[in-house]
Amino acid sequence: MSQVRACRLVGLNRSSMNYKVRRPDDSAIRKRLRELAGERRRFGYRRLGWMLEREGYEMNHKKLYRIYREEKLMVRRRNHRKRATGARAPLALPRAINERWSVDFVADALSDGRRFRIFCVVDDFTRECLATVVDTSIGGQRVIRELEQLVIERGMPKTIVSDNGSELTAAPVLRWSTGRLEWHYIAPGKPMQNAFVESFNGRLRDECLNEHVFLTLVEAREIIEAWRRDYNDLRPHSSLAARTPAEFAEMHWKLLRVPEQERCLAEAG
């Protein structure tokens, strides 16, 4: 059927069908809107629009709301439990060692049914698993002790990414991170925002936890630590061009010629 006949049958003007939207370039507005939303995390689109008007950006509320939705800057309604919140803008991919670590917990059980938890720390750039701490209970103070030990061995990261779990939003964690580094909390119910450690958790469960029955906590620690070393030193990683995380990290350590690297190596002994 021709275009003319089809338009006549549905009662549509051909000029309307062939019309293409010609919108002006609004990249500057989008950039500034993202910056304001990052600074004012609890502001909605109307209040952000008023701030844009003060800076000379003029638009009607429909265009403002369309851009606001397209940039995914919507404010989540808070529930009754107070949560730490991160930025609304997505994090950029890390480009150096120790630029960003991801942390999370994995749960499992011994053969007698007793539950235990695993505190996992991953370097998002090298994909190395820096720690798998196994215990029946891991609170905020224990999290800080383990992170401080890693900082002594490896150096201070610029950013740590985590969910809003009670252990990671506890007062000791907030006090320790303030002034030292940026602690980014993902949005509640959005584990994909912490994709690096979530991917590692899947490998840990599939290749280790589901393959063994742990009789004691000591046995669980030994097996999980052995798997962690194998993961870092022997297991090829698809995102690293079939190199192991340790090989990838060693290659980049050699390229670094900055005082920070020398200090980290000296502290590691």
Side-chain angles (χ1 to χ4, degrees):
M1 184 180 295
S2 69
Q3 186 183 102
V4 175
R5 182 175 175 79
C7 289
R8 188 180 298 121
L9 287 174
V10 299
L12 178 65
N13 192 294
R14 288 181 62 197
S15 61
S16 298
M17 189 195 73
N18 294 323
Y19 176 76
K20 294 183 179 179
V21 178
R22 298 177 179 87
R23 289 174 177 165
D25 181 26
D26 55 10
S27 58
I29 296 175
R30 290 175 182 271
K31 179 181 177 181
R32 185 55 185 154
L33 184 62
R34 288 194 300 268
E35 292 174 353
L36 289 174
E39 297 169 3
R40 311 279 185 170
R41 293 196 298 259
R42 300 305 299 173
F43 279 15
Y45 81 96
R46 292 184 185 275
R47 201 175 301 274
L48 292 174
W50 297 336
M51 297 186 71
L52 287 174
E53 287 180 5
R54 293 179 181 177
E55 299 179 6
Y57 296 99
E58 296 184 0
M59 73 195 88
N60 61 33
H61 69 280
K62 292 182 289 185
K63 178 177 179 179
L64 172 63
Y65 185 67
R66 174 177 58 81
I67 296 175
Y68 179 83
R69 297 280 298 186
E70 289 174 354
E71 294 296 322
K72 296 181 173 57
L73 300 175
M74 293 76 73
V75 178
R76 292 180 62 91
R77 185 179 297 277
R78 285 176 171 164
N79 57 16
H80 295 293
R81 186 164 82 88
K82 185 177 179 181
R83 295 179 183 268
T85 56
R88 279 192 269 173
L91 288 174
L93 291 175
R95 297 186 177 182
I97 294 173
N98 284 353
E99 185 172 323
R100 190 171 79 206
W101 294 357
S102 294
V103 301
D104 199 9
F105 288 91
V106 179
D108 203 20
L110 301 177
S111 59
D112 59 5
R114 286 186 299 161
R115 304 288 294 179
F116 66 86
R117 308 186 76 194
I118 309 167
F119 176 57
C120 302
V121 184
V122 174
D123 187 308
D124 291 354
F125 179 69
T126 65
R127 309 302 200 273
E128 290 176 285
C129 175
L130 308 182
T132 49
V133 181
V134 180
D135 213 330
T136 54
S137 177
I138 303 175
Q141 290 285 3
R142 178 69 180 279
V143 166
I144 295 308
R145 289 203 305 271
E146 298 297 338
L147 290 177
E148 286 182 338
Q149 182 62 36
L150 287 176
V151 168
I152 293 173
E153 297 172 358
R154 189 179 176 88
M156 181 72 73
K158 294 182 179 179
T159 305
I160 292 181
V161 183
S162 75
D163 60 21
N164 287 267
S166 58
E167 305 88 350
L168 303 174
T169 57
V173 175
L174 297 177
R175 285 196 299 266
W176 179 81
S177 61
T178 302
R180 286 188 174 93
L181 50 84
E182 178 186 356
W183 196 297
H184 178 89
Y185 292 98
I186 66 174
K190 299 287 185 181
M192 68 287 295
Q193 294 180 4
N194 204 7
F196 290 95
V197 76
E198 290 291 344
S199 175
F200 170 80
N201 292 346
R203 304 284 73 76
L204 171 62
R205 186 168 298 281
D206 182 54
E207 299 177 12
C208 181
L209 301 184
N210 291 346
E211 292 291 314
H212 297 87
V213 176
F214 305 113
L215 301 178
T216 65
L217 195 61
V218 173
E219 181 185 31
R221 286 172 177 159
E222 293 175 350
I223 292 176
I224 293 172
E225 176 62 18
W227 182 87
R228 185 187 73 86
R229 295 182 181 278
D230 180 83
Y231 177 89
N232 286 337
D233 300 334
L234 300 177
R235 183 185 184 278
H237 205 292
S238 58
S239 66
L240 304 179
R243 290 187 289 263
T244 67
E247 291 172 344
F248 186 77
E250 181 64 24
M251 179 181 68
H252 281 272
W253 276 122
K254 291 179 179 178
L255 297 176
L256 293 176
R257 294 293 183 270
V258 293
E260 180 66 20
Q261 180 220 2
E262 297 175 359
R263 184 182 67 80
C264 293
L265 293 176
E267 291 177 351

